[in-house]
Amino acid sequence: MRTIIIGYGMAGSRLAGELARRGHDVTVFGAEPHAAYNRILLSGLLAGTAAESTIMLPEPPDTVDIRLGVEVTSIDRAARTVNGVPYDALILATGAEPITPPIEGISGVPVFRTLDDCRRIVKDAEGVQSAVVVGGGLLGVEAARGLAERGLAVSIVHGAPHLMERQLDGPGGEVLAATLARLGITVHFGQTAARTPWGLLLSDGLAVPADLVVMACGVKPSTTLAKRAGLAVGRGVLVDDTLRTSDPAIFAIGDCAEHRGVTAGLLGPAWAQADVIAGLLSGLPASYQGSRPVTRLKAGQIDLAAMGVAEGDEVLTFTDPARGTYARIVIERDRLAGAILIGDNPSAGQVIQLYDRGAPVPSDRRSLLLGRASGAVTAESPVLMPDSAVVCRCNGVTKGEIVRCGARDVAGIAAATRATTGCGSCVDAVAGLARSVT
Ligand SMILES: Cc1cc2nc3c(=O)[nH]c(=O)nc-3n(C[C@H](O)[C@H](O)[C@H](O)COP(=O)(O)OP(=O)(O)OC[C@H]3O[C@@H](n4cnc5c(N)ncnc54)[C@H](O)[C@@H]3O)c2cc1C
């Protein structure tokens, strides 16, 4: 089967490798000029804690025809060709693009999405004293923390009433802002009116001086090509459970796709969808039923995880502002339906596992906040995890798969199962499992 993938990012590169290993004839078009890299780890590059060489993704087999630096602008659906190359199946993996709000003077300000963006920000940050990040969502907070780790005085300007409003409630946002303040990052709530030669002017008249301005105002699915090709598009490219678009020969995966009304914007769903397509195109009865993503902040000295819904039958909260700790646990029909965990929450591992598995919560609810239940399943006690517990969420790898893979150190386990190769937040749990089975 001749397969074309448009987009050589995290989903496209994963799929190219999977299909090539199963003997497919694969051509990939990628707009970026680089080999595929782990976009999630750009935060580490910005902070100076990771090197470029450590964020590159594994290359697919040589049989894949990869055309880098080629932005596809049209699809000939009638002839089933892209840039003259014929296909039986075409996969859109065009990802997402940054949202640029209409702010006076903002054109040319760097955004935070690609390796080239990151290189430019790192270069612009050399020799300057201060920076302001426009946007206080996940990426804005990671960008601010990264620049602060480079020694700059950093502020965030955020237009919503509290930070990370897509993942956090008001009290959680306040605890995060207080944690950032302790790390030297100031947060201003208000709309940006204009970029000036000395920084930013907010619409309430406040001046925020800065040598460097960085934009991190969220992303939207990249759908221009799909629209131009006449495919059905909502917020993202609309797909069914087989990830087919409105043209049965064309599929969409990753950040560009909208499945059951959800545009996930996270790696776990993107890689799960790539694996579904690899199965489907190889004749397996695979389908995608949605994911239960957990958002984690990867910024030094800030521990944050958020998942699921904000309201339910029961809501448990714990706040310790002085220590930067906040927990909100939402329970629906005795199951964990959502959670926000900031700071030192000893139950974090247990909560994420319960959310993943949809298992009943303990009758002593205090253990969910304080981690005191006997037999609690925690990332810190991997031996107690059931075999079915998902340890690496980006790759969907369970404890059972790790224990059975035969490898006895993190590198070996990564090579055998791919655990730890996404956002990397499971490294400690995998190392703990490796120790427990030797
Ligand atoms: C700094 C940062 C931190 C993140 N942290 C996390 C995290 O902690 N956890 C998490 O789950 N997710 C995180 N994400 C999101 C995660 O990176 C994305 O969900 C993931 O990259 C989606 O993969 P994708 O292949 O769909 O899109 P992308 O990785 O964006 O790849 C899309 C590729 O398609 C190319 N393309 C687009 N249009 C065309 C065209 N017409 N022709 C050819 N090529 C085209 C683009 O240039 C791009 O290279 C983060 C993102 C960023 C930027």
Side-chain angles (χ1 to χ4, degrees), residues 6-12 29-32 39-40 42-43 70-72 93-96 112-113 138-139 142 225 253-256 265-268 270 296 298 423:
I6 302 179
Y8 191 47
M10 297 202 72
F29 294 97
E32 292 185 66
R39 197 173 299 284
I40 292 182
L42 287 179
S43 305
V70 181
E71 180 173 352
V72 174
T94 51
F112 184 35
R113 175 75 194 175
L138 176 79
L139 286 190
E142 288 194 1
L225 179 63
I253 59 171
D255 282 6
C256 71
L266 291 168
L267 181 63
R296 300 195 81 138
K298 310 170 303 302
C423 71

Short mmCIF file of all heavy atoms in Angstrom, two decimals, residues 6-12 29-32 39-40 42-43 70-72 93-96 112-113 138-139 142 225 253-256 265-268 270 296 298 423, ligand 1:
data_model
loop_
_atom_site.label_atom_id
_atom_site.label_comp_id
_atom_site.label_asym_id
_atom_site.label_seq_id
_atom_site.Cartn_x
_atom_site.Cartn_y
_atom_site.Cartn_z
N ILE A 6 1.49 13.71 5.64
CA ILE A 6 1.83 15.14 5.56
C ILE A 6 2.03 15.64 6.99
O ILE A 6 1.09 15.63 7.80
CB ILE A 6 0.72 15.95 4.84
CG1 ILE A 6 0.50 15.39 3.44
CG2 ILE A 6 1.11 17.43 4.79
CD1 ILE A 6 -0.59 16.11 2.65
N GLY A 7 3.25 16.05 7.31
CA GLY A 7 3.60 16.49 8.66
C GLY A 7 4.59 15.51 9.26
O GLY A 7 4.27 14.34 9.47
N TYR A 8 5.83 15.98 9.50
CA TYR A 8 6.86 15.12 10.08
C TYR A 8 7.16 15.61 11.49
O TYR A 8 8.27 16.01 11.83
CB TYR A 8 8.12 15.14 9.19
CG TYR A 8 9.15 14.10 9.53
CD1 TYR A 8 8.79 12.78 9.74
CD2 TYR A 8 10.49 14.44 9.61
CE1 TYR A 8 9.75 11.84 10.04
CE2 TYR A 8 11.46 13.50 9.91
CZ TYR A 8 11.08 12.20 10.12
OH TYR A 8 12.03 11.25 10.42
N GLY A 9 6.09 15.65 12.31
CA GLY A 9 6.25 16.03 13.71
C GLY A 9 6.18 14.78 14.57
O GLY A 9 6.61 13.69 14.15
N MET A 10 5.60 14.90 15.77
CA MET A 10 5.64 13.76 16.70
C MET A 10 4.72 12.63 16.27
O MET A 10 5.06 11.46 16.43
CB MET A 10 5.29 14.26 18.10
CG MET A 10 6.32 15.26 18.59
SD MET A 10 6.40 15.44 20.35
CE MET A 10 7.15 13.92 20.87
N ALA A 11 3.55 12.95 15.70
CA ALA A 11 2.64 11.90 15.25
C ALA A 11 3.11 11.31 13.92
O ALA A 11 3.16 10.09 13.74
CB ALA A 11 1.22 12.45 15.12
N GLY A 12 3.47 12.20 12.97
CA GLY A 12 3.87 11.74 11.63
C GLY A 12 5.11 10.86 11.66
O GLY A 12 5.16 9.83 10.98
N PHE A 29 6.03 14.22 3.86
CA PHE A 29 6.36 15.61 3.58
C PHE A 29 6.37 16.37 4.90
O PHE A 29 5.37 16.33 5.64
CB PHE A 29 5.31 16.25 2.65
CG PHE A 29 5.30 15.65 1.27
CD1 PHE A 29 4.39 14.65 0.94
CD2 PHE A 29 6.19 16.09 0.31
CE1 PHE A 29 4.36 14.10 -0.33
CE2 PHE A 29 6.18 15.54 -0.97
CZ PHE A 29 5.27 14.53 -1.29
N GLY A 30 7.46 17.06 5.20
CA GLY A 30 7.55 17.81 6.45
C GLY A 30 7.94 19.26 6.17
O GLY A 30 8.95 19.51 5.49
N ALA A 31 7.17 20.20 6.68
CA ALA A 31 7.46 21.61 6.40
C ALA A 31 8.73 22.08 7.10
O ALA A 31 9.46 22.93 6.58
CB ALA A 31 6.27 22.47 6.83
N GLU A 32 9.00 21.53 8.29
CA GLU A 32 10.21 21.97 9.01
C GLU A 32 11.45 21.37 8.35
O GLU A 32 11.38 20.25 7.82
CB GLU A 32 10.14 21.54 10.49
CG GLU A 32 9.04 22.27 11.26
CD GLU A 32 9.05 21.92 12.74
OE1 GLU A 32 10.02 22.27 13.42
OE2 GLU A 32 8.08 21.29 13.21
N ARG A 39 8.95 17.55 20.53
CA ARG A 39 8.53 18.94 20.73
C ARG A 39 8.36 19.26 22.22
O ARG A 39 8.63 20.36 22.68
CB ARG A 39 7.20 19.15 19.99
CG ARG A 39 6.84 20.59 19.75
CD ARG A 39 5.61 20.71 18.86
NE ARG A 39 5.77 20.13 17.54
CZ ARG A 39 6.45 20.69 16.53
NH1 ARG A 39 7.03 21.84 16.72
NH2 ARG A 39 6.55 20.09 15.36
N ILE A 40 7.89 18.26 22.97
CA ILE A 40 7.66 18.46 24.41
C ILE A 40 8.94 18.90 25.13
O ILE A 40 8.91 19.69 26.05
CB ILE A 40 7.15 17.14 25.03
CG1 ILE A 40 5.76 16.82 24.51
CG2 ILE A 40 7.19 17.18 26.53
CD1 ILE A 40 5.16 15.58 25.10
N LEU A 42 11.22 20.77 24.11
CA LEU A 42 11.70 22.13 23.80
C LEU A 42 11.76 22.97 25.07
O LEU A 42 12.58 23.89 25.18
CB LEU A 42 10.76 22.81 22.79
CG LEU A 42 10.83 22.30 21.35
CD1 LEU A 42 9.82 23.07 20.48
CD2 LEU A 42 12.23 22.44 20.77
N SER A 43 10.87 22.66 26.04
CA SER A 43 10.90 23.43 27.30
C SER A 43 12.26 23.28 27.98
O SER A 43 12.79 24.25 28.53
CB SER A 43 9.81 22.91 28.26
OG SER A 43 8.57 22.96 27.62
N VAL A 70 9.41 20.77 2.96
CA VAL A 70 8.39 20.87 1.91
C VAL A 70 7.03 21.07 2.55
O VAL A 70 6.49 20.15 3.18
CB VAL A 70 8.35 19.59 1.03
CG1 VAL A 70 7.30 19.73 -0.07
CG2 VAL A 70 9.72 19.29 0.46
N GLU A 71 6.47 22.25 2.40
CA GLU A 71 5.12 22.49 2.91
C GLU A 71 4.13 22.16 1.80
O GLU A 71 4.17 22.76 0.72
CB GLU A 71 4.96 23.94 3.35
CG GLU A 71 3.57 24.20 3.87
CD GLU A 71 3.40 25.58 4.47
OE1 GLU A 71 4.40 26.30 4.62
OE2 GLU A 71 2.24 25.91 4.79
N VAL A 72 3.28 21.20 2.06
CA VAL A 72 2.29 20.80 1.05
C VAL A 72 1.18 21.85 1.01
O VAL A 72 0.64 22.22 2.06
CB VAL A 72 1.71 19.41 1.39
CG1 VAL A 72 0.57 19.04 0.44
CG2 VAL A 72 2.81 18.36 1.38
N ALA A 93 -1.02 14.87 9.36
CA ALA A 93 -0.46 14.98 10.71
C ALA A 93 0.18 16.36 10.81
O ALA A 93 1.36 16.50 11.14
CB ALA A 93 0.56 13.86 10.95
N THR A 94 -0.64 17.37 10.51
CA THR A 94 -0.11 18.73 10.35
C THR A 94 -0.03 19.50 11.67
O THR A 94 0.38 20.67 11.67
CB THR A 94 -0.96 19.52 9.33
OG1 THR A 94 -2.35 19.40 9.70
CG2 THR A 94 -0.78 18.99 7.92
N GLY A 95 -0.46 18.88 12.77
CA GLY A 95 -0.21 19.48 14.08
C GLY A 95 -1.05 20.72 14.35
O GLY A 95 -2.19 20.84 13.90
N ALA A 96 -0.45 21.62 15.11
CA ALA A 96 -1.16 22.84 15.52
C ALA A 96 -0.26 24.04 15.27
O ALA A 96 0.95 23.90 15.12
CB ALA A 96 -1.52 22.75 16.99
N PHE A 112 6.43 30.27 20.73
CA PHE A 112 7.12 29.12 21.31
C PHE A 112 6.43 27.85 20.83
O PHE A 112 5.48 27.39 21.43
CB PHE A 112 7.06 29.25 22.84
CG PHE A 112 7.80 28.19 23.59
CD1 PHE A 112 8.99 27.65 23.11
CD2 PHE A 112 7.34 27.72 24.81
CE1 PHE A 112 9.67 26.67 23.80
CE2 PHE A 112 8.00 26.75 25.52
CZ PHE A 112 9.17 26.22 25.01
N ARG A 113 6.87 27.32 19.67
CA ARG A 113 6.24 26.10 19.15
C ARG A 113 7.26 25.15 18.50
O ARG A 113 7.19 23.96 18.67
CB ARG A 113 5.16 26.49 18.12
CG ARG A 113 4.51 25.30 17.40
CD ARG A 113 3.52 24.57 18.29
NE ARG A 113 3.13 23.27 17.74
CZ ARG A 113 2.35 22.40 18.36
NH1 ARG A 113 1.85 22.68 19.53
NH2 ARG A 113 2.06 21.24 17.82
N LEU A 138 -0.24 26.64 29.83
CA LEU A 138 0.84 25.68 30.09
C LEU A 138 2.16 26.12 29.44
O LEU A 138 3.20 26.18 30.08
CB LEU A 138 0.42 24.30 29.57
CG LEU A 138 1.46 23.20 29.68
CD1 LEU A 138 1.52 22.64 31.08
CD2 LEU A 138 1.16 22.07 28.70
N LEU A 139 2.09 26.48 28.14
CA LEU A 139 3.32 26.83 27.44
C LEU A 139 3.91 28.13 27.95
O LEU A 139 5.14 28.27 28.03
CB LEU A 139 3.05 26.97 25.93
CG LEU A 139 2.85 25.68 25.18
CD1 LEU A 139 2.84 25.95 23.69
CD2 LEU A 139 3.93 24.68 25.54
N GLU A 142 5.69 27.39 31.16
CA GLU A 142 6.95 26.67 30.89
C GLU A 142 7.99 27.61 30.28
O GLU A 142 9.17 27.55 30.63
CB GLU A 142 6.70 25.48 29.97
CG GLU A 142 5.97 24.36 30.68
CD GLU A 142 5.98 23.03 29.92
OE1 GLU A 142 6.57 22.96 28.83
OE2 GLU A 142 5.39 22.06 30.44
N LEU A 225 -4.74 23.25 5.04
CA LEU A 225 -4.61 22.33 3.90
C LEU A 225 -5.89 21.49 3.75
O LEU A 225 -6.40 21.29 2.65
CB LEU A 225 -3.40 21.42 4.14
CG LEU A 225 -3.11 20.38 3.08
CD1 LEU A 225 -2.79 21.03 1.74
CD2 LEU A 225 -1.95 19.48 3.53
N ILE A 253 -4.51 12.61 12.20
CA ILE A 253 -4.09 12.23 13.55
C ILE A 253 -3.38 13.39 14.23
O ILE A 253 -2.90 14.32 13.57
CB ILE A 253 -3.15 11.00 13.53
CG1 ILE A 253 -1.89 11.28 12.69
CG2 ILE A 253 -3.86 9.76 13.04
CD1 ILE A 253 -0.82 10.19 12.80
N GLY A 254 -3.30 13.31 15.54
CA GLY A 254 -2.52 14.29 16.31
C GLY A 254 -3.27 15.60 16.51
O GLY A 254 -4.50 15.66 16.48
N ASP A 255 -2.51 16.66 16.71
CA ASP A 255 -3.08 17.95 17.09
C ASP A 255 -4.02 18.53 16.04
O ASP A 255 -4.83 19.40 16.36
CB ASP A 255 -1.94 18.97 17.31
CG ASP A 255 -1.25 18.81 18.65
OD1 ASP A 255 -1.55 17.83 19.37
OD2 ASP A 255 -0.39 19.65 18.98
N CYS A 256 -3.92 18.08 14.77
CA CYS A 256 -4.79 18.67 13.74
C CYS A 256 -6.17 18.03 13.72
O CYS A 256 -7.09 18.55 13.12
CB CYS A 256 -4.14 18.57 12.35
SG CYS A 256 -4.06 16.90 11.67
N GLY A 265 -4.54 18.04 21.62
CA GLY A 265 -3.37 18.91 21.78
C GLY A 265 -2.30 18.33 22.69
O GLY A 265 -1.47 19.07 23.22
N LEU A 266 -2.30 17.02 22.88
CA LEU A 266 -1.33 16.37 23.76
C LEU A 266 -0.74 15.14 23.06
O LEU A 266 -1.35 14.57 22.15
CB LEU A 266 -1.98 15.94 25.07
CG LEU A 266 -2.40 17.09 26.01
CD1 LEU A 266 -3.28 16.55 27.13
CD2 LEU A 266 -1.19 17.81 26.59
N LEU A 267 0.44 14.75 23.52
CA LEU A 267 1.17 13.69 22.84
C LEU A 267 0.53 12.30 22.97
O LEU A 267 0.52 11.54 22.00
CB LEU A 267 2.60 13.64 23.39
CG LEU A 267 3.48 12.59 22.73
CD1 LEU A 267 3.65 12.89 21.26
CD2 LEU A 267 4.83 12.53 23.43
N GLY A 268 0.03 11.96 24.17
CA GLY A 268 -0.52 10.61 24.37
C GLY A 268 -1.56 10.28 23.30
O GLY A 268 -1.45 9.24 22.61
N ALA A 270 -1.97 11.68 20.39
CA ALA A 270 -1.37 11.71 19.04
C ALA A 270 -0.68 10.37 18.74
O ALA A 270 -0.84 9.80 17.65
CB ALA A 270 -0.36 12.86 18.94
N ARG A 296 0.64 17.71 32.49
CA ARG A 296 1.67 17.90 33.53
C ARG A 296 2.54 19.07 33.13
O ARG A 296 2.87 19.23 31.96
CB ARG A 296 2.53 16.64 33.68
CG ARG A 296 1.72 15.43 34.06
CD ARG A 296 2.60 14.33 34.55
NE ARG A 296 2.95 14.55 35.94
CZ ARG A 296 2.98 13.60 36.85
NH1 ARG A 296 2.69 12.37 36.54
NH2 ARG A 296 3.31 13.86 38.10
N LYS A 298 6.06 20.79 33.03
CA LYS A 298 7.45 20.33 33.14
C LYS A 298 8.35 21.54 33.35
O LYS A 298 9.07 21.98 32.47
CB LYS A 298 7.88 19.62 31.85
CG LYS A 298 6.93 18.57 31.40
CD LYS A 298 7.25 18.05 30.03
CE LYS A 298 7.28 19.12 28.99
NZ LYS A 298 6.04 19.89 28.83
N CYS A 423 7.12 12.59 27.37
CA CYS A 423 7.42 13.78 28.18
C CYS A 423 8.47 13.49 29.24
O CYS A 423 9.05 14.40 29.81
CB CYS A 423 6.15 14.31 28.83
SG CYS A 423 5.50 13.28 30.16
C1 LIG B 1 6.92 23.56 24.23
C2 LIG B 1 5.85 22.51 24.17
C3 LIG B 1 5.64 21.68 25.28
C4 LIG B 1 4.67 20.68 25.23
N1 LIG B 1 4.50 19.88 26.33
C5 LIG B 1 3.63 18.86 26.27
C6 LIG B 1 3.51 17.94 27.37
O1 LIG B 1 4.14 18.10 28.41
N2 LIG B 1 2.68 16.87 27.24
C7 LIG B 1 1.98 16.64 26.09
O2 LIG B 1 1.26 15.64 26.01
N3 LIG B 1 2.05 17.50 25.04
C8 LIG B 1 2.85 18.60 25.09
N4 LIG B 1 2.96 19.45 24.02
C9 LIG B 1 2.11 19.20 22.83
C10 LIG B 1 2.74 18.12 21.92
O3 LIG B 1 4.00 18.55 21.52
C11 LIG B 1 1.83 17.90 20.71
O4 LIG B 1 0.60 17.37 21.18
C12 LIG B 1 2.45 16.95 19.70
O5 LIG B 1 3.63 17.50 19.18
C13 LIG B 1 1.45 16.68 18.57
O6 LIG B 1 2.09 16.01 17.50
P1 LIG B 1 1.65 16.30 15.98
O7 LIG B 1 2.52 15.45 15.15
O8 LIG B 1 0.19 16.23 15.86
O9 LIG B 1 2.03 17.84 15.74
P2 LIG B 1 3.47 18.47 15.61
O10 LIG B 1 4.44 17.81 16.50
O11 LIG B 1 3.25 19.94 15.76
O12 LIG B 1 3.92 18.18 14.10
C14 LIG B 1 3.23 18.70 13.00
C15 LIG B 1 4.23 18.88 11.87
O13 LIG B 1 3.53 19.06 10.64
C16 LIG B 1 4.18 20.04 9.89
N5 LIG B 1 3.24 20.58 8.90
C17 LIG B 1 2.15 21.34 9.13
N6 LIG B 1 1.52 21.64 7.96
C18 LIG B 1 2.25 21.05 6.98
C19 LIG B 1 2.11 21.00 5.56
N7 LIG B 1 1.10 21.61 4.92
N8 LIG B 1 3.05 20.33 4.84
C20 LIG B 1 4.08 19.69 5.48
N9 LIG B 1 4.25 19.70 6.82
C21 LIG B 1 3.34 20.37 7.57
C22 LIG B 1 4.63 21.05 10.93
O14 LIG B 1 5.65 21.87 10.42
C23 LIG B 1 5.10 20.12 12.06
O15 LIG B 1 6.46 19.79 11.89
C24 LIG B 1 3.89 20.49 24.05
C25 LIG B 1 4.08 21.34 22.93
C26 LIG B 1 5.04 22.35 22.99
C27 LIG B 1 5.24 23.25 21.80
#
